[in-house]
């Protein structure tokens, strides 16, 4: 895709601007998703550790909802 439009006064393609904005939003979303996934993994490991401790001491815990 090129940033040129023969049909506008300033020759700037509006689709190009949309493309660039969408690309930036996707990059930001990718960064956020990766960070969230790392946090989810850490929380899961923490929960599994706590569940193992409770199981070892034969303490019941509420089931997942």
């Amino acid at each position: 895709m090129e940033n040129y439009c023969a049909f506008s006064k300033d020759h700037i393609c509006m689709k190009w601007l949309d493309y660039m904005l969408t690309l930036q939003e996707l990059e930001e979303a990718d960064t956020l998703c990766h960070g969230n996934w790392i946090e989810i993994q850490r929380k899961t490991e923490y929960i599994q550790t706590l569940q193992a401790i409770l199981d070892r001491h034969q303490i019941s815990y509420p089931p997942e909802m």
Side-chain angles (χ1 to χ4, degrees):
M1 181 176 278
E2 296 180 15
N3 187 15
Y4 177 78
C5 180
F7 303 106
S8 69
K9 272 196 281 188
D10 54 5
H11 301 293
I12 294 176
C13 179
M14 293 305 289
K15 286 184 178 181
W16 177 258
L17 294 175
D18 287 344
Y19 170 76
M20 292 306 294
L21 288 172
T22 303
L23 181 63
Q24 182 180 359
E25 289 172 354
L26 286 172
E27 288 172 350
E28 289 176 8
D30 183 53
T31 301
L32 290 172
C33 286
H34 181 70
N36 287 344
W37 182 248
I38 290 172
E39 184 176 347
I40 288 169
Q41 287 177 319
R42 287 182 182 157
K43 299 280 185 193
T44 300
E45 290 172 4
Y46 181 73
I47 290 169
Q48 289 172 346
T49 301
L50 291 175
Q51 286 177 334
I53 292 169
L54 292 172
D55 289 342
R56 191 174 24 217
H57 292 93
Q58 298 177 350
I59 300 172
S60 62
Y61 48 91
E64 294 182 30
M65 292 183 204

